[in-house]
């Protein structure tokens, strides 16, 4: 029954932002793919965690990756900005294209790639620095905002876009770790926005937050999709239904089904998808 | 005699244990489950009541026995013999009598002394037999009293746990009381020093020549106790040591935590920690036999004059000694920074170097500072290396190629050889020791506070 509830909310929600942007769930097919995964497999040592995934991620929309624990959705999202490079013994085969650049091309520097494909993590992880320095960290290392006023402007815009500015404008010098969990996560989103990426990857951004903070982040994701391409991993099917236009369902390392969010939640083609969204597996 | 007393008490304790256990077993009426405490607890309960009071009695008795017998001895001596004698002269007579009693006859002791010696021996044996009887009586009383209490419902386990509690408290008090005793003795001796030499001279004087004549006619320097050159020498050597150890230790910690592969790390880390296990005397002769001559040759090659026991040789070797402190503290501190910080930084497109310098090191800084402070206090208090490799003459200089002396070296030299404990030369060692103690204590407290505060942060 639960997914039905989620669906109702989804329909309400998607009509609201649609006033500003010209995308309704039905029209998403018209979007351009920003990233393309072609036959992507990921191995941790000998163990294969992801099998031949083909998936397009469309520009200025939200793609939700759902599936039970251990299904490979986090592995996949981390493959998109080569965060898996940090893990010892991790190997990726296949192709991932950002626009038309293969991100696993030896000529591509993962450091530069991650400036284009930013990431927000499961647990809010602000650095033990001031709020200002947390946001300014990325722009500084990428040489953006060479003087102080530029930097201040970047910080202010990022905080405004992350919907945090009004709450913290008087205490930018205080440590970011002193904020509440939801504020910290929005700070991390602001931090990701500050380096002006094309794509923002969010790995279960709300799993450590309470329902009110979650709702706030979901609203934010909805606003952000006007400017950014967003990929979100989530355990909550309601959340996927509420915030995303495209949904991909992973199971045991395989991409089982992908498509418009409405379609996945109302008339899935695959039996396993139906079992998952109705709560029989996972 | 003492060993007999203790063996008898030990036997009684063992007997008490088995007796108590047996009593508990028989009172259970065959079903052990009906007892509140298991039989061994009853045994231990009886044993502790047999052993602890009687052993305490023996210890108290032994400490009081000597002074009391001495007192009786003085009383027994005729008034004519003691007339007009000072306390120290009486002490000499008493020790003469004691040595006579022990069978060491010096000269021709008079009749009264012989008699006193015999009395002394007799009192001593009476006292020891009395002690034996009292101890055994208390032990047996303890056994009788406690075994009468043993029953099904008797809470022997609680009693034993209370006893263990007290034993643990006593053990922890030993360390604390010893420290207090050390502080007190340092303070008292240092006060005696400051009676003779003014505090301002000691702390602000620029001239340190503690060799004052202790015999008449001995040719020495006049004696000057300005400790500034000693302090600056200590600081110079400690600073040189830190100059060597901080970059080396920190960079090796960064390499081990962030760059080295796990196999390499598992080999290198223990090797680095072995450095901490090398006896400092070995470092000492490494400094004096290898490093110092090498530096001297190298200096000669460059046309510099480096003293044979230069500050730089001692400082460099001491630096090597404290590398493991700094590297293992920094290693722990960097490791304790959550992985999410690294990922967050990488996720923003930071390189490894930027992540380390801008995120990891600032986050780990308190832990690293704690390690550096502990290493500093270690360097200031280090004795063996400097005794062997640093100089003895208190030079007021900041030149690392000259010989300087340190607080610890001075303490050692002041207390070696013929020493009289009532002249400022010897007492100066206590004043230096007090300063050293206070400084290292402050550094340690500061370091521990910093490390503690930092540990709370990520939990």
């Amino acid at each position: 029954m639960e997914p039905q509830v989620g669906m109702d909310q989804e329909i309400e929600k998607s009509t609201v932002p649609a006033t500003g942007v010209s995308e309704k769930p039905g029209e998403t097919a018209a979007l351009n793919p920003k990233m393309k995964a072609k036959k992507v497999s990921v191995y941790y040592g000998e163990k294969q965690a992801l099998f031949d995934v083909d998936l397009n991620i469309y520009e200025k929309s939200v793609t939700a990756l759902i599936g039970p624990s251990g299904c490979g959705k986090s592995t996949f999202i981390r493959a998109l900005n080569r965060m898996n490079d940090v893990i010892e013994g991790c190997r990726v085969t296949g192709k991932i294209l950002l626009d038309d650049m293969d991100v696993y091309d030896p000529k591509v520097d993962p450091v530069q790639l991650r400036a284009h494909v930013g990431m927000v993590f499961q647990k809010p992880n602000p650095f033990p620095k001031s709020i200002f320095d947390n946001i300014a960290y990325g722009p500084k290392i990428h040489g953006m905002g060479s003087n102080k006023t530029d930097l201040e402007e970047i910080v202010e815009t990022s905080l405004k876009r992350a919907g945090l500015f009004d709450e913290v404008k008087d205490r930018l010098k205080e440590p970011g770790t002193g904020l509440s969990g939801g504020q910290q996560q929005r700070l991390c989103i602001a931090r990701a926005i500050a380096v002006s990426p094309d794509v923002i990857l969010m790995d279960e951004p709300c799993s450590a937050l309470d329902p009110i903070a979650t709702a706030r982040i979901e609203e934010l994701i909805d606003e952000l999709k006007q400017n950014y391409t967003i990929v979100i991993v989530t355990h909550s099917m309601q959340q996927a239904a509420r915030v995303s236009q495209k949904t991909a369902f992973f199971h045991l390392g395989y991409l089982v089904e992908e498509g418009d969010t409405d379609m996945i939640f109302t008339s899935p083609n695959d039996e396993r998808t139906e079992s998952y969204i109705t709560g029989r597996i996972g | 005699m003492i060993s007999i007393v203790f063996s008898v008490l030990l036997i009684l304790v063992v007997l008490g244990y088995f007796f108590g256990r047996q009593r508990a077993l028989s009172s259970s009426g065959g079903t052990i489950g009906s007892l509140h405490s298991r039989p061994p607890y009853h045994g231990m309960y009886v044993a502790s009541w047999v052993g602890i009071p009687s052993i305490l009695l023996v210890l108290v008795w032994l400490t009081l026995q000597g002074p009391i017998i001495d007192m009786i001895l003085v009383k027994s001596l005729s008034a004519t013999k003691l007339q007009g004698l000072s306390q120290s002269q009486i002490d000499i007579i008493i020790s003469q009598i004691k040595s006579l009693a022990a069978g060491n006859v010096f000269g021709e002791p008079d009749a009264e002394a012989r008699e006193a010696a015999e009395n002394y021996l007799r009192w001593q044996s009476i006292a020891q037999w009395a002690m034996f009887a009292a101890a055994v009586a208390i032990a047996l009383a303890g056994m009788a009293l406690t075994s009468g209490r043993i029953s099904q419902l008797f809470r022997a386990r609680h009693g034993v746990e209370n006893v263990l509690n007290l034993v643990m408290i006593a053990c922890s008090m030993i360390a604390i009381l010893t420290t207090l005793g050390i502080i007190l003795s340092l303070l008292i001796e240092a006060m005696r020093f400051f009676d003779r030499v003014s505090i301002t001279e000691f702390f602000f004087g620029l001239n340190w020549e503690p060799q004052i004549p202790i015999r008449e006619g001995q040719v020495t320097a006049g004696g000057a106790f300005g400790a500034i050159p000693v302090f600056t020498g200590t600081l110079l050597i400690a600073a040189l040591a830190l100059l060597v150890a901080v970059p080396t230790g920190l960079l090796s910690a960064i390499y081990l935590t962030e760059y080295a592969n796990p196999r390499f790390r598992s080999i290198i880390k223990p090797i680095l920690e072995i450095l901490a296990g090398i006896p400092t005397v070995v470092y000492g002769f490494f400094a004096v036999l290898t490093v110092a001559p090498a530096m001297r040759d190298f200096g000669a090659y460059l046309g510099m004059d480096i003293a044979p026991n230069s500050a730089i040789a001692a400082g460099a070797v001491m630096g090597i000694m404290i590398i493991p402190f700094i590297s293992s503290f920094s290693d722990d501190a960097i490791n304790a920074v959550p992985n999410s910080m690294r990922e967050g930084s990488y996720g923003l497109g930071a390189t490894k170097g930027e992540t380390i310098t801008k995120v990891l090191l600032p986050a780990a800084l308190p832990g690293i500072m704690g390690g550096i402070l502990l290493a500093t206090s270690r360097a200031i208090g280090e004795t063996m290396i400097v005794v062997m490799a640093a100089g003895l003459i208190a030079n007021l200089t900041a030149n690392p190629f000259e010989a300087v002396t340190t607080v610890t070296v001075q303490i050692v030299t002041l207390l070696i050889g013929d020493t009289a404990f009532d002249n400022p030369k010897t007492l100066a060692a206590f004043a230096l020791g007090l300063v050293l103690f206070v400084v290292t204590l402050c550094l340690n407290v500061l370091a521990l506070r910093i490390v503690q505060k930092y540990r709370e942060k990520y939990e």
Side-chain angles (χ1 to χ4, degrees), chain A residues 78 81 83 86 88 111 114-115 117-119 121 125-129 134 137-138 141-142 191-192 195, chain B residues 261-262 339-352 354-356 358-359 362-363 457-458:
Chain A
R78 291 171 65 95
N81 70 341
M83 277 305 276
V86 187
E88 200 115 351
V111 166
R114 290 182 202 133
V117 185
M119 191 155 195
F121 297 85
N125 57 349
F127 302 130
K129 299 170 181 282
N134 260 288
Y137 178 77
I141 59 178
H142 294 296
R191 190 172 73 180
V195 293
Chain B
N261 69 44
N339 223 9
S340 64
M341 294 294 136
R342 292 180 183 85
E343 292 205 318
S345 177
Y346 293 146
L348 290 169
T351 63
K352 202 158 196 171
E354 286 160 348
T355 303
I356 291 167
K358 301 220 169 90
V359 176
K457 209 155 124 192
Y458 288 115

Side-chain angles (χ1 to χ4, degrees), chain B residues 174-207:
Chain B
I174 286 177
I176 294 169
L177 290 179
T178 315
T179 315
L180 282 180
I182 291 172
I183 296 171
L184 221 62
S185 78
L186 268 180
L187 267 179
I188 291 169
E189 301 292 341
M191 294 300 272
R192 287 177 58 195
F193 172 74
F194 289 122
D195 279 347
R196 281 151 231 244
V197 176
S198 76
I199 290 186
T200 46
E201 188 199 336
F202 181 72
F203 282 106
F204 302 108
L206 300 180
N207 199 8

